[in-house]
Amino acid sequence: MAFDLTEAQRSAREGYRALAAEHIEPFASQWDRDQALPGELFLSLGSRRLMAPTIPAAFGGIGMDMMNYGLFSEEVGRCCQSVRNLLGVQGMVAHSLLRFGNPEQKSRWLPRIANGETVAAFALTEPSIGSDASNVTTAATRTDSGYLLNGAKKWISFGMKADVFLVIARAPGGVSAFVVERGTPGFSTAPIPDLLGLRASMLGELTFADCEIPAANRIGKEGIGFAWIANTALDFGRYSTACGCVGLAQACLDASQSYSLERKQFGVAIREHQLVRRLLTNMKANTQAARLLCYHAGTLRDQGSPEAIQATMLAKYFASTHVAQAATDAVQIHGAQGIGSNYPVQRYLRDSKVMEIIEGTTQIQQVFID
Ligand SMILES: Cc1cc2nc3c(=O)[nH]c(=O)nc-3n(C[C@H](O)[C@H](O)[C@H](O)COP(=O)(O)OP(=O)(O)OC[C@H]3O[C@@H](n4cnc5c(N)ncnc54)[C@H](O)[C@@H]3O)c2cc1C
C-alpha cells in the first residue's frame, strides 16, 4: 500500500494546483452566482485533454492513471465543486463507453468528449427512483430499427448543457444503457435552478416522449445497463467525488487557518482559543485521513484490484461525511463572516452537503460497505 506520493506525483499535483488556481479558483464564486459554467471553460479544459484525461490517447485522452486523476480531482475540488462534478461526469460516461461500447461507438463519441467539443451527461435518477436505482422505470420498447424511449430523468448534472446523454432505461431484456443525442425528436430538457450547492452544475430534468433512437445507440447488450454499465460509471464517479471532497476539506482548512490568524477576539487571534484549535485540529486530521483513503483507493484502482470498489466506497463515505462537518466548522470559525459573501466558506458549506447525496447517499454507503 503506497501511502505517500512519488516525486513525479508531487510535481504533477503542483501542476494541477497551478492550473486550478489560475483558471478555476478566481471565478468559482461568480459561476456559483451565475448558476452556470462558461462555454469557454469546456473547450479550454478539452484543449488540454483534461475533460476525460483517463481515456487512452487512441480515443483522445492522455491515459492518466487513477492516482494522478485523484490528485487532479482533489485540486479542482479545492477550487470549484461544479467543475469537479463536470469532470467526474465526463469520466463516468467516457469510461462506460470505453468499457462497453463497440469500436464504432467509441470512435464516434469518445474523442469529442475528451476534447470538450461534446459534453456528456449520465442519466440514471428519476423523479420517483433515487437510491433504488436498479428499479428505473423509463421504458425502452423495441421498434423495427431501434428503441422508443418514454419516461423522465431528474437531477441530471449538466443536463442543460450536455450534447449526449447516457440514459439507463428498462428494455424488454432488462435494464439497458442508451446514448441519446440532444435534438433527437421526443427528447427535451428543463432546468432545475436555485439549488443549495453545486449551483453551477446546470442540472436538468429530461423527458422522453416517444423518443426514437437507433439500435446502434444501445451500449452493450440488453440487461447489463444497471449491474455493469451504471455501476461502472458510479464507481468512477465515487472516486472523483471522494477526491474532490478532500480538496474541498483542504479549502475549508486553509480558509479556517487563515481567518483564525487574522481575526482577534479577547485580545488574541482566535486560533489561540483552545476550542477553536480543536476544530482546526480535527479538520486537519480528518482531511489527511480522507486523503489517505483516496490514495489507497487510487492505488488499488491502478493495480486493477477487485478490492478497489469497496476501497472507493469507503473513501467516498469518509471524505463526504468529513467534508460536511469540516465545512460546518469552517463557517463556525468565521462567525458571522462565514455566512456572508466575503469569504468562500458559505459556498463550501452548501457544496459540501451535496457530497453526502451524490454517487450514493451516506446511508446507502453505510448499507453497502462490507
Ligand atoms: C447536485 C446533484 C447532482 C446530481 N447529478 C446526477 C446525475 O448527473 N445523474 C443522475 O442520474 N443522478 C444525479 N443526481 C441524483 C442523485 O444520484 C440522487 O439524488 C441520489 O441517488 C439519491 O436519490 P434521491 O435524491 O432520490 O434520494 P432517496 O433515494 O429518495 O433518499 C432519500 C433519503 O432516504 C435515504 N434512503 C434511501 N434508501 C435507503 C436505504 N435503503 N437505507 C437507508 N436510507 C435510505 C437516503 O439516504 C436519503 O437520506 C444528482 C443529485 C444532486 C443533488
Side-chain angles (χ1 to χ4, degrees):
M1 242 183 251
F3 280 128
D4 209 354
L5 302 181
T6 63
E7 264 319 297
Q9 287 165 340
R10 281 176 198 280
S11 149
R13 183 177 62 184
E14 289 312 310
Y16 307 141
R17 184 169 297 173
L19 182 125
E22 183 181 348
H23 297 282
I24 299 173
E25 190 170 24
F27 315 106
S29 292
Q30 187 59 48
W31 295 339
D32 178 68
R33 285 191 289 276
D34 293 346
Q35 300 190 41
L37 297 178
E40 56 270 24
L41 179 76
F42 299 86
L43 292 174
S44 131
L45 287 166
S47 69
R48 293 177 166 83
R49 293 292 185 269
L50 290 174
M51 283 290 266
T54 51
I55 293 300
F59 295 109
I62 52 176
M64 185 185 277
D65 66 38
M66 294 306 283
M67 266 302 293
N68 263 286
Y69 186 70
L71 299 173
F72 177 50
S73 303
E74 177 182 336
E75 293 306 328
V76 172
R78 187 171 175 157
C79 299
C80 178
Q81 281 302 320
S82 283
V83 180
R84 201 284 314 151
N85 187 33
L86 168 72
L87 300 176
V89 171
Q90 302 318 292
M92 290 166 75
V93 175
H95 273 271
S96 302
L97 292 174
L98 184 68
R99 185 161 173 207
F100 299 102
N102 61 34
E104 195 274 329
Q105 292 169 331
K106 289 183 207 184
S107 53
R108 183 169 167 201
W109 288 303
L110 282 178
R112 293 176 64 85
I113 293 174
N115 71 15
E117 282 175 27
T118 290
V119 176
F122 172 69
L124 174 64
T125 308
E126 300 182 349
S128 304
I129 298 287
S131 302
D132 188 14
S134 64
N135 281 316
V136 288
T137 60
T138 296
T141 46
R142 288 190 198 134
T143 64
D144 289 346
S145 58
Y147 292 87
L148 211 53
L149 298 186
N150 278 289
K153 296 286 175 183
K154 198 164 182 186
W155 310 112
I156 306 308
S157 295
F158 299 96
M160 297 313 297
K161 172 74 183 172
D163 308 287
V164 296
F165 298 76
L166 184 63
V167 178
I168 308 300
R170 189 167 293 280
V175 176
S176 309
F178 304 90
V179 171
V180 178
E181 301 193 342
R182 187 179 291 282
T184 307
F187 172 51
S188 59
T189 59
I192 308 177
D194 302 329
L195 301 177
L196 172 74
L198 260 63
R199 286 168 68 89
S201 287
M202 304 163 92
L203 262 68
E205 180 162 6
L206 321 181
T207 304
F208 304 92
D210 285 340
C211 168
E212 187 161 18
I213 52 165
N217 284 25
R218 194 191 70 224
I219 308 300
K221 292 186 294 197
E222 281 190 12
I224 67 164
F226 182 74
W228 289 96
I229 302 182
N231 274 326
T232 292
L234 289 168
D235 173 51
F236 185 95
R238 240 171 248 136
Y239 181 62
S240 161
T241 302
C243 300
C245 286
V246 173
L248 183 54
Q250 185 65 49
C252 291
L253 180 61
D254 294 344
S256 300
Q257 285 179 324
S258 155
Y259 187 79
S260 65
L261 272 173
E262 166 193 326
R263 177 74 172 170
K264 291 192 171 59
Q265 288 295 289
F266 299 95
V268 292
I270 58 171
R271 65 171 287 131
E272 299 307 326
H273 299 303
Q274 290 181 342
L275 293 177
V276 174
R277 253 319 196 339
R278 181 169 69 173
L279 295 177
L280 290 168
T281 303
N282 284 342
M283 211 185 288
K284 187 169 187 171
N286 286 322
T287 300
Q288 184 64 358
R291 181 176 284 121
L292 293 178
L293 284 173
C294 287
Y295 289 177
H296 183 219
T299 304
L300 292 176
R301 297 179 79 85
D302 280 330
Q303 290 169 351
S305 165
E307 290 169 29
I309 294 174
Q310 278 285 317
T312 300
M313 267 192 195
L314 202 59
K316 193 275 177 181
Y317 170 63
F318 187 84
S320 61
T321 49
H322 162 54
V323 79
Q325 185 62 51
T328 299
D329 292 347
V331 168
Q332 189 68 20
I333 288 169
H334 283 69
Q337 293 282 16
I339 60 165
S341 57
N342 288 341
Y343 291 86
V345 289
Q346 184 221 66
R347 170 165 55 88
Y348 299 164
L349 177 63
R350 290 186 285 101
D351 284 348
S352 72
K353 189 60 216 169
V354 179
M355 301 303 134
E356 285 203 89
I357 296 171
I358 56 173
E359 322 305 357
T361 65
T362 290
Q363 290 69 36
I364 292 300
Q365 308 298 322
Q366 286 168 334
V367 169
F368 283 100
I369 289 171
D370 266 342

